[in-house]
Amino acid sequence: MYYDENTTIFLNKRWLKAKEATTGLYQQSFHYGNGVFEGMRSYQTSDGVKVLKAHEHFERLLYSAKKMYINLDYGVDELIEICYQLLEKNNLQNAYIRPLVYTDENMGLQPEGQANLFMCAWKWGKYYDKAAKVMTSPFRRPDPKSCHVDAKVTGHYTNSVIAIEDAKQKGFDEALLLDSHGFVAEATGANFFYQKDNTLFTAPKGNILPGITRKVVMDLAKENGIKVEEKYFTPEEVYDADGAFFTGTAVEINAIESLDEKPFKKDWQDTFGHELHQQFNQYART
Ligand code: PMP
């Protein structure tokens, strides 16, 4: 699904066939989870292929690397250029792009030397095709005093892995994780919004990965006269909401059917989420 014999990838300033590319078993990131990455999407537009918020994604990649003491020898413009070349070489239009920065061979804990940059892309349609049944996870998001929650670090995703697998085994589609104080933070790979009293609510920055899609949706909401408020809230406050949805590069905007088996009051078609989804689809493709 991700690659075949024709797929070209970028690895450390070289273009290689995915099937021929290799890396070592002693890479530090592999052992200790200190790698940083991004997930981006490209869309076919009337002006050709466009990577949505490419600048913001690569800025976040460099920010994440810096926070993790990883030296990455690339600038944002250079990364954008590589990304577009990658799409062209693989003849991709509506795709998902994955840059990954990982540290070199080193069994110590300190991230020494120059990092490796791997970038690949593949054709990817919708992530979910139905409204998600969500449960509040027994697992909490990492405390911001323990790690940089606003950085996209590979090791942080062990938290997402256990939360989603636990939710799936219990018959749900997704998990909603609380922060270390018991307020709703985000899902395993997406931010969360709910609608109540003609307002959209979402968790403030601090305990979440502040999503680039979250910001796009907040801006679209403002442009459309929809009030958005960032605040701390509990799952109980969400139970009698009119609607709710996730935002993220992979999921784009995804409807939520219920939280902890409590369905939302309005039909998805009658919510702000649906309206913003239409707006988002248009925004991404122009
Ligand atoms: N939270 C987490 C934990 C994520 O992994 C993601 C996906 N990157 C998001 C939120 C949404 O971020 P974005 O909109 O930038 O993709």
Side-chain angles (χ1 to χ4, degrees):
M1 173 199 173
Y2 301 110
Y3 63 94
D4 61 24
E5 53 284 351
N6 298 317
T7 307
T8 299
I9 59 123
F10 180 88
L11 183 63
N12 292 334
K13 316 233 174 205
R14 289 172 65 203
W15 295 101
L16 300 167
K17 288 287 170 214
K19 291 229 162 170
E20 288 157 16
T22 57
T23 195
L25 291 173
Y26 293 80
Q27 311 291 13
Q28 191 194 43
S29 302
F30 194 31
H31 293 254
Y32 307 128
N34 187 20
V36 297
F37 69 107
E38 271 304 316
M40 309 155 66
R41 268 190 193 265
S42 64
Y43 295 89
Q44 178 72 276
T45 76
S46 48
D47 294 333
V49 177
K50 192 180 92 181
V51 178
L52 188 63
K53 299 283 178 194
H55 202 273
E56 286 78 353
H57 278 283
F58 285 123
E59 289 244 300
R60 188 169 67 186
L61 184 73
L62 296 184
Y63 170 83
S64 300
K66 193 161 174 240
K67 282 285 165 187
M68 298 310 293
Y69 308 103
I70 294 173
N71 294 318
L72 183 64
D73 186 21
Y74 292 82
V76 169
D77 290 342
E78 198 181 352
L79 291 164
I80 293 175
E81 178 64 32
I82 296 165
C83 175
Y84 275 98
Q85 278 186 38
L86 178 72
L87 293 171
E88 208 179 303
K89 283 181 192 290
N90 290 290
N91 192 24
L92 287 166
Q93 287 84 37
N94 296 301
Y96 186 83
I97 305 133
R98 166 55 52 84
L100 169 72
V101 178
Y102 60 98
T103 49
D104 236 331
E105 294 189 354
N106 177 8
M107 289 298 98
L109 284 173
Q110 285 173 277
E112 292 159 354
Q114 278 302 326
N116 302 283
L117 172 68
F118 164 52
M119 212 187 295
C120 62
W122 59 87
K123 192 174 170 209
W124 223 18
K126 274 179 88 66
Y127 192 81
Y128 285 121
D129 52 8
K130 65 181 183 74
K133 288 191 176 73
V134 179
M135 63 167 270
T136 304
S137 180
F139 298 103
R140 295 205 169 177
R141 290 303 280 164
D143 189 308
K145 290 200 172 77
S146 304
C147 57
H148 299 294
V149 292
D150 59 347
K152 205 164 163 63
V153 181
T154 56
H156 293 180
Y157 282 80
T158 53
N159 172 249
S160 299
V161 167
I162 51 176
I164 193 140
E165 187 53 28
D166 173 67
K168 296 260 185 197
Q169 288 189 9
K170 290 171 179 161
F172 294 87
D173 302 311
E174 227 335 320
L176 188 63
L177 286 82
L178 308 183
D179 65 24
S180 52
H181 301 286
F183 296 111
V184 172
E186 60 187 332
T188 56
N191 294 114
F192 174 81
F193 287 78
Y194 74 96
Q195 177 184 340
K196 207 176 193 177
D197 303 328
N198 276 324
T199 304
L200 284 179
F201 297 96
T202 194
K205 289 182 186 177
N207 295 287
I208 59 168
L209 183 81
I212 290 163
T213 323
R214 172 183 179 273
K215 172 83 167 63
V216 169
V217 166
M218 287 166 87
D219 290 346
L220 287 174
K222 274 169 211 157
E223 276 168 33
N224 285 278
I226 298 170
K227 205 174 145 208
V228 186
E229 215 178 285
E230 292 173 80
K231 69 160 190 176
Y232 294 106
F233 55 90
T234 61
E236 288 72 24
E237 287 174 78
V238 181
Y239 290 158
D240 62 346
D242 291 328
F245 58 91
F246 292 127
T247 64
T249 300
V251 299
E252 300 174 299
I253 295 180
N254 198 84
I256 304 176
E257 184 184 296
S258 57
L259 175 62
D260 299 332
E261 297 183 322
K262 292 165 187 71
F264 294 112
K265 284 192 197 156
K266 289 195 177 182
D267 288 339
W268 172 244
Q269 275 70 18
D270 301 328
T271 63
F272 292 149
H274 180 256
E275 190 182 329
L276 290 166
H277 192 195
Q278 315 262 40
Q279 300 273 346
F280 178 85
N281 283 341
Q282 212 180 340
Y283 176 83
R285 288 168 181 82
T286 48

